[in-house]
Amino acid sequence: MRLKFPQFLVALVIIGALALGGCSTQQAVSPSSPAATASSTATETSGSTSTEATSVSQTTSESIPGMKDLPRLEGQATVVMTVKGSPITIELDGTNAPITAGNFVDLVQKGVYDGTAFHRVVRDPQPFVAQGGDPQSKDPAVPANRLGTGSFIDPDTKKVRYIPLEIKPKGAAEPLYNKTFDASSQAVVLPHKQGVIAMARSQQPDSASSQFYFALADLSFLDGNYAVFGKVTEGFDVVNKIQQGDRIDSAKVTKGAENLKVPGK
């Protein structure tokens, strides 16, 4: 289901304040919206994306601070997420999004998502996203207006783990990092098709942590701005029934766990 141009404009008006990613308490930035995304993309993209973003071949250095310490998924993995007793099977693509998929698998294995809530579900006026993954939402005492602002805090470092924006253009040998780009002129390998899973973030490109969203429709206007890292292969009917406040019973890696590479382990 692809948003047609008039529907897209209506969606922007209605959800102009919608955040695809909440900023953490350490970031003094407002969550981004599709409208803000379109504006920032226009100002950030000029010329070749290869000169604006860092490729994975550079990530062994500190050109992206902390990159070498992040988990990576080298290949594929499968996660089964259970919501209200019903399973959702998610195939994760570590070939085209190794850092983003690796981060998600690592957090699943740590139990970060178990018991968390979907704090933002938008279906009107057009199907949009079901967003969850805020660790704060495990605690029912946390006010609803704070949900969407939380991130994963690494118990070892006591600091928030952020991952860089990671998007692979078609024809590229490796993903690009750190910058958004205009996907209308350079298509992406992992587009926002109905049923994909992607990382939420604030206005800062490298601010994703634990929050994710399922795309409830084709959302091509988000391509080049948010990192898709997998897709629902079974149970999209369950995703379509998610209501705001519904909780994840559990999330488990059922295949491909051996493909996760965690530095120092």
Side-chain angles (χ1 to χ4, degrees), residues 24-194:
S24 80
T25 54
Q26 297 180 11
Q27 292 178 294
V29 295
S30 299
S32 60
S33 67
T37 293
S39 174
S40 63
T41 301
T43 58
E44 288 179 0
T45 56
S46 59
S48 170
T49 56
S50 62
T51 62
E52 293 185 330
T54 305
S55 72
V56 73
S57 62
Q58 296 171 281
T59 60
T60 53
S61 72
E62 284 300 293
S63 57
I64 303 177
M67 173 73 95
K68 62 181 178 60
D69 299 321
L70 294 173
R72 291 173 181 260
L73 184 66
E74 298 180 355
Q76 309 296 307
T78 302
V79 167
V80 175
M81 181 179 292
T82 305
V83 178
K84 298 183 71 175
S86 298
I88 302 166
T89 302
I90 308 164
E91 181 181 306
L92 304 177
D93 190 342
T95 300
N96 295 302
I99 298 298
T100 313
N103 176 70
F104 187 80
V105 170
D106 186 54
L107 297 185
V108 166
Q109 291 188 331
K110 285 178 164 55
V112 170
Y113 295 118
D114 297 350
T116 57
F118 286 90
H119 60 273
R120 180 178 289 112
V121 179
V122 180
R123 290 193 174 89
D124 297 318
Q126 299 292 335
F128 189 48
V129 300
Q131 180 181 334
D134 184 344
Q136 296 180 113
S137 65
K138 287 190 178 189
D139 184 354
V142 174
N145 61 6
R146 273 184 52 193
L147 299 182
T149 65
S151 300
F152 169 66
I153 299 176
D154 190 313
D156 295 328
T157 65
K158 310 301 182 186
K159 296 179 180 180
V160 173
R161 178 202 287 173
Y162 295 115
I163 60 173
L165 181 63
E166 176 183 56
I167 305 174
K168 187 175 182 180
K170 280 189 175 180
E174 301 167 334
L176 300 179
Y177 293 88
N178 307 109
K179 295 285 187 180
T180 60
F181 62 89
D182 182 6
S184 66
S185 60
Q186 188 173 18
V188 299
V189 174
L190 300 176
H192 277 78
K193 296 293 186 180
Q194 184 186 62

